Amino acid sequence: MTPIMALNIPHTSKKRIVVVGGGFAGLAVIRALRRTRCQVVLIDKHNYHMFKPLLYQVASSQLNVGDIAFPFRKIFNGWKDFYFRMAYIESVDPTRKILLTTAGEVEYDYLILATGCVPNFFGIDAVKREALAMSNITDALNIRNRVLRNFELAVTAATDAERVSRLNVVIVGGGASGVEIAGALAEMRRYVMPRDYPRLDMSHMHIYLVEGQDRILAAMSEKTSTEALDTLKRKGVEVLLNKKMTDYREGQAVFDDGERIPTCNLVWTSGIKCSTIEGIDQEKPERGNRIGVDAFNRVRGYDDIFAIGDLSIMHDDLSYENGHPQLARVAISQGKHLAKNLMSSFRGKEMKPYRYRNMGVMATVGRNRAFVEWKNIQFGGFVAWLTWSFVHIMFLLGIQGKVKVFWGWVWNYLGHDLPIRLIIGSYERSKRSDAR
């Protein structure tokens, strides 16, 4: 292999595994490869791993950025034969086995793609321009900044109409992310903002959760969907079902039935898609630009390129013929399984096909209330909320991160307080990056 020093990675006789993306899938495969005699290179556009399931808590002032973001260099500090480079990927040259990035080129023996997904605005330009997605830390901070800033502007609003527009929040998408941020903002309205803004009439603030299907939490059972809907309504969230947003004009969210809702706080959790990776040829396009893989997570048509996590879609697992759910647990299990397969192949053994064991789904709707489904077991309420909290604490990286989040939750629970009500940086929304 000819040495390429653009990324200042030394050339050795060891096999080089290049991983693109340090999310749940990428992190899992790298950690499982630690004791292999390979050189491992991680390429990511950020220098940290983000615990995405708690992103909504940053957006709703419950957690700090540092509570859910963990620097790669700290995670892998002291690892031998591991290299991290912060860069965007531009394309793959499978013939020469080279990955091209904004920082230079890097050769690979094996390439593992784990770039995840970006928001899908379904071609609605005004929504893409004005809405706040919730896919990364910048998005979460933008939501927090905008909501808090609009509270400040509502104090000095000249008319009730302007005040209502500043306070209204429209959340598009009734999946877990939409339900969780809706519940969190409803509790902020009830417990926190009346103390911070005693002269603001909170009846002017409406939280709308808009879903295009006939129920929220479509990935869960109808019973859970109904109970979650009732919980949100009790919290004062106005849930609008069978309604699709078509435009955003003159400060108003416009829907397919002609209804308009004035809002300066438009949050988009409605859909995701994968960015196209130049150089990876697919026989047929997959839904959401996902990359088709075989039962071993090999990209179809390639022997040395793999895709895992949200980016991949596998039709070989007969229990999930339409692809596995795009969940953290799937990404983690695929990453671990791929690492085992690679180590087996290095020893001349056969690789084993991936089969996902359903670990259940869960969602929370504010304090004391969550829903858990695992096989035939379904339960909700306080016990489910404790289960949800325990599982998320366990998946956080590092003892320090677990302790900080745990005590933050205890403080918020006992004091009905959100201590991180800070408007950081410029109010103007930074340019969203949908790049890989």
Side-chain angles (χ1 to χ4, degrees), residues 50-156:
M50 171 186 65
F51 192 79
K52 198 168 184 177
L54 295 182
L55 202 59
Y56 82 95
Q57 295 205 0
V58 174
S60 56
S61 301
Q62 298 181 56
L63 292 176
N64 239 322
V65 170
D67 297 332
I68 68 166
F70 310 91
F72 290 126
R73 295 190 181 278
K74 181 177 181 179
I75 296 172
F76 301 113
N77 186 27
W79 283 37
K80 294 181 179 180
D81 297 317
F82 171 82
Y83 300 87
F84 167 69
R85 297 294 182 264
M86 190 169 72
Y88 292 84
I89 70 168
E90 294 183 329
S91 63
V92 179
D93 186 340
T95 303
R96 296 191 298 153
K97 302 184 69 169
I98 288 178
L99 175 71
L100 289 83
T101 78
T102 53
E105 300 179 349
V106 58
E107 290 184 346
Y108 63 83
D109 291 295
Y110 298 95
L111 176 63
I112 300 174
L113 302 172
T115 54
C117 293
V118 296
N120 186 358
F121 298 98
F122 303 103
I124 310 175
D125 292 336
V127 172
K128 181 177 181 179
R129 184 174 60 252
E130 300 296 335
L132 297 174
M134 198 167 60
S135 63
N136 56 48
I137 285 177
T138 301
D139 291 336
L141 288 176
N142 283 333
I143 293 173
R144 187 180 83 185
N145 285 347
R146 179 172 289 190
V147 170
L148 295 176
R149 176 64 174 172
N150 278 320
F151 264 96
E152 298 296 338
L153 294 175
V155 173
T156 58

Side-chain angles (χ1 to χ4, degrees), residues 6 18 87 147 152 174 182 252 262 305 419:
V18 176
V147 170
E152 298 296 338
Q252 296 180 324
I305 302 179

Side-chain angles (χ1 to χ4, degrees), residues 80-345:
K80 294 181 179 180
D81 297 317
F82 171 82
Y83 300 87
F84 167 69
R85 297 294 182 264
M86 190 169 72
Y88 292 84
I89 70 168
E90 294 183 329
S91 63
V92 179
D93 186 340
T95 303
R96 296 191 298 153
K97 302 184 69 169
I98 288 178
L99 175 71
L100 289 83
T101 78
T102 53
E105 300 179 349
V106 58
E107 290 184 346
Y108 63 83
D109 291 295
Y110 298 95
L111 176 63
I112 300 174
L113 302 172
T115 54
C117 293
V118 296
N120 186 358
F121 298 98
F122 303 103
I124 310 175
D125 292 336
V127 172
K128 181 177 181 179
R129 184 174 60 252
E130 300 296 335
L132 297 174
M134 198 167 60
S135 63
N136 56 48
I137 285 177
T138 301
D139 291 336
L141 288 176
N142 283 333
I143 293 173
R144 187 180 83 185
N145 285 347
R146 179 172 289 190
V147 170
L148 295 176
R149 176 64 174 172
N150 278 320
F151 264 96
E152 298 296 338
L153 294 175
V155 173
T156 58
T159 65
D160 283 347
E162 180 188 353
R163 188 171 296 109
V164 167
S165 180
R166 293 290 181 187
L167 295 177
N168 278 353
V169 180
V170 174
I171 303 162
V172 183
S177 296
V179 167
E180 288 169 349
I181 188 66
L185 291 176
E187 294 188 345
M188 177 189 289
R189 176 183 60 186
R190 178 180 178 183
Y191 296 113
V192 179
M193 293 315 190
R195 294 186 305 212
D196 281 7
Y197 302 91
R199 290 182 175 82
L200 271 182
D201 184 355
M202 288 299 149
S203 66
H204 286 146
M205 181 182 182
H206 300 270
I207 300 172
Y208 300 91
L209 178 63
V210 184
E211 170 55 47
Q213 300 185 58
D214 59 0
R215 65 187 181 100
I216 59 175
L217 296 178
M220 304 182 80
S221 68
E222 290 191 17
K223 178 177 180 292
T224 295
S225 296
T226 301
E227 292 180 359
L229 177 63
D230 292 340
T231 301
L232 287 175
K233 288 182 176 180
R234 287 196 299 270
K235 292 178 179 293
V237 177
E238 300 177 47
V239 182
L240 309 177
L241 300 176
N242 295 308
K243 187 185 288 285
K244 295 181 180 180
M245 186 172 176
T246 59
D247 204 354
Y248 183 82
R249 295 196 302 266
E250 300 173 349
Q252 296 180 324
V254 182
F255 299 94
D256 55 354
D257 59 1
E259 182 179 359
R260 295 184 175 212
I261 299 176
T263 180
C264 294
N265 307 292
L266 178 60
V267 179
W268 187 267
T269 66
S270 183
I272 55 176
K273 64 179 181 180
C274 300
S275 299
T276 301
I277 299 179
E278 185 178 344
I280 301 296
D281 295 326
Q282 295 281 278
E283 293 181 0
K284 63 176 183 177
E286 298 283 359
R287 183 179 179 183
N289 290 338
R290 296 171 78 176
I291 294 178
V293 299
D294 63 13
F296 310 101
N297 281 100
R298 280 186 305 227
V299 176
R300 297 192 183 278
Y302 302 92
D303 294 328
D304 48 18
I305 302 179
F306 300 81
I308 54 177
D310 292 352
L311 177 66
S312 67
I313 181 167
M314 180 187 298
H315 300 293
D316 298 68
D317 191 340
L318 299 181
S319 299
Y320 298 89
E321 293 182 357
N322 295 319
H324 299 103
Q326 291 168 293
L327 300 172
R329 290 178 292 280
V330 177
I332 293 170
S333 64
Q334 283 188 350
K336 291 180 177 179
H337 188 82
L338 176 56
K340 291 180 180 178
N341 271 339
L342 288 175
M343 288 187 285
S344 295
S345 68

